[in-house]
Structure formats: structure tokens, C-alpha cells
Amino acid sequence: MNHLLHPSIRRSAHAFATALLVFSFAACAAAQQTNLSDKPPMKLGEQSPLIDFSTINGNQHPVWEQLKGKVVVIDFWATWCAPCIAAFPQVNALKKQLSGRPVVFYSVSYETPAMVDKVLKQFPLETLVALDNDFHTFKSFQAWAIPAVYVFDGEGRLAAEVNVSQLNADLLNTVLAGKRPTVPQQMGWKDPAGAEFYFRSLRQKGVQLLPHSHGQRKWPPCLPQRPLHRLPYSTPASTSSRTSSSTSTSSSVFGNATASTSSIREA
């Protein structure tokens, strides 16, 4: 039916959907700010925190000794987190830009292989995608305010903890040069136990981002009660201003990450 609409109508509908998505990011960000802590989850300079995850391709189980001499980027995400997925093209392009440099990218979810595979088929991610071992790494990093990115230097020391929208080549080149980037650090979550309970419940129910799904939808409290047609996602070769505006507008809290989902259902 969509192909029968005049192009100008389709463009207007898409612009409205994108504006509504950005509005939902901003509204929920404001509503959730009180849940952020007044300090980052980890201190800069902290060395070699526990990592306990395995990559989905090759089942690699990295340890810090093997990563010595490399800048390590660990990006925490989930399949229901629209800001996380909207940033995939940005992360893919950054990985390509730094190809050949001693930088390794891990994208860590806590969910099941089936949940992750379903989303990655629609939204490719070219990093080393990994699954946490029963939240061990999420708890070690206190990484509840997703999308959360932790950058470590070649000695395994924490150099930056930022929202994925602030991850860029300048930041990583600064760390590669042995310096600490001067960027705002991401704040932690006030209620880590509550966040873990929430994440576990979503995994148990199989809740994830399904932008073109049909049938029964479960809407989070601060999401406008109407489906958005699609997530503002584009390939790395044609990343648009839609993606950057939506990710920069959103706050890195799991409440508004859920709120930006274009459609959510229970599997």
C-alpha cells in the first residue's frame, strides 16, 4: 500500500515518524534523568575489570592478557534498545576507518543467541558481537545505562566511558596516542539491582526490537501509543542526519532506550 502513495506524502510521513521518534527520545530522556547517578559507574584509570563474555562467531572468550597493547572498545547494547541499534552504522564506519590500527571492538549483549541473531539479520553489526555470561560483565562494569561504551588503553586502563553517540575517531586516536580524552563521562544508574531485574525480565519474555513486526505490541509507559513506521537506520555508506540527531538527542538510560523502540512484542 505504501508504494501507491505519492512520493511527497511518503516523504512527509517519514519526516513525521522521524520527528516523533526524536521527540520520544527527548521526552523520555527528561523523564528519566532523575534515575541517573551523580558519578560514572567506574573510575577512570581502573585497570582490567572482570570481562566474562563470548563472541557469537568463533566463541572466543577474551582475556586482558591477550588484549595487551590494544585499545579495547566495549559497547554494551540490547536488542530492544533503539539508540543502540541506530548507532550500528556509526560503529561499523568507525571500525572500518580504524582498520589496521591496534583497536578491537566488542559489542556485548546479555540476551540469548536467538534474540541477537534475529536483530542482526536486519541491522548488521561488524564488530565482535558477544554475549555476556549471566550478566557478569554488565555487573562488573555497572553498564546499565545503555548504550554505554567503555574505552581501555593498551595497558587495560579505563580511558573513557561515554554514550555511543560520543564515540568517534578523535577519541580513539587520543587513546592510541597514550593520552586520556577530555570528554564528558557517562553517569551510572542509581538502581543497579532494579536495572538488572528489568533486563532479566526482558530477556525472559523475549522482548526485542522488531521494527516491521505485526500483531500484539507491548508499549513501555513513555512511548507514544502509536507505532513508528521504521527505525531511522541507514547503512554506513549513507548514514543520514536522522541517525545522528536521534542518537544525540537520546540520553543513555535504559528507560528512554526502550521508549524509542518502533515496535516491541513478546516473543
Side-chain angles (χ1 to χ4, degrees), residues 41 76 137-146 148 150 186 189 199:
F76 291 88
T137 312
F138 268 78
K139 289 193 285 189
S140 171
F141 284 62
Q142 291 297 293
W144 306 113
I146 61 174
Y150 297 72
Q186 174 162 294
W189 194 254
F199 281 27

Side-chain angles (χ1 to χ4, degrees), residues 61-105:
H61 190 89
V63 294
W64 286 110
E65 289 78 8
Q66 298 171 341
L67 299 171
K68 189 175 178 64
K70 298 179 179 179
V71 169
V72 179
V73 180
I74 302 180
D75 174 18
F76 291 88
W77 70 287
T79 61
W80 48 262
C81 171
C84 301
I85 296 174
F88 283 7
Q90 167 199 340
V91 176
N92 289 341
L94 187 57
K95 180 179 181 294
K96 183 177 181 180
Q97 183 179 351
L98 293 173
S99 176
R101 306 293 301 280
V103 182
V104 58
F105 291 81

Side-chain angles (χ1 to χ4, degrees), residues 14 18 21 25 85-86 89 230-234 240 242-243 246 260:
H14 186 271
T18 301
L21 178 63
F25 282 169
I85 296 174
R230 65 182 65 180
L231 181 72
Y233 176 96
S234 56
S240 68
R242 300 197 302 276
T243 302
S246 63
S260 58

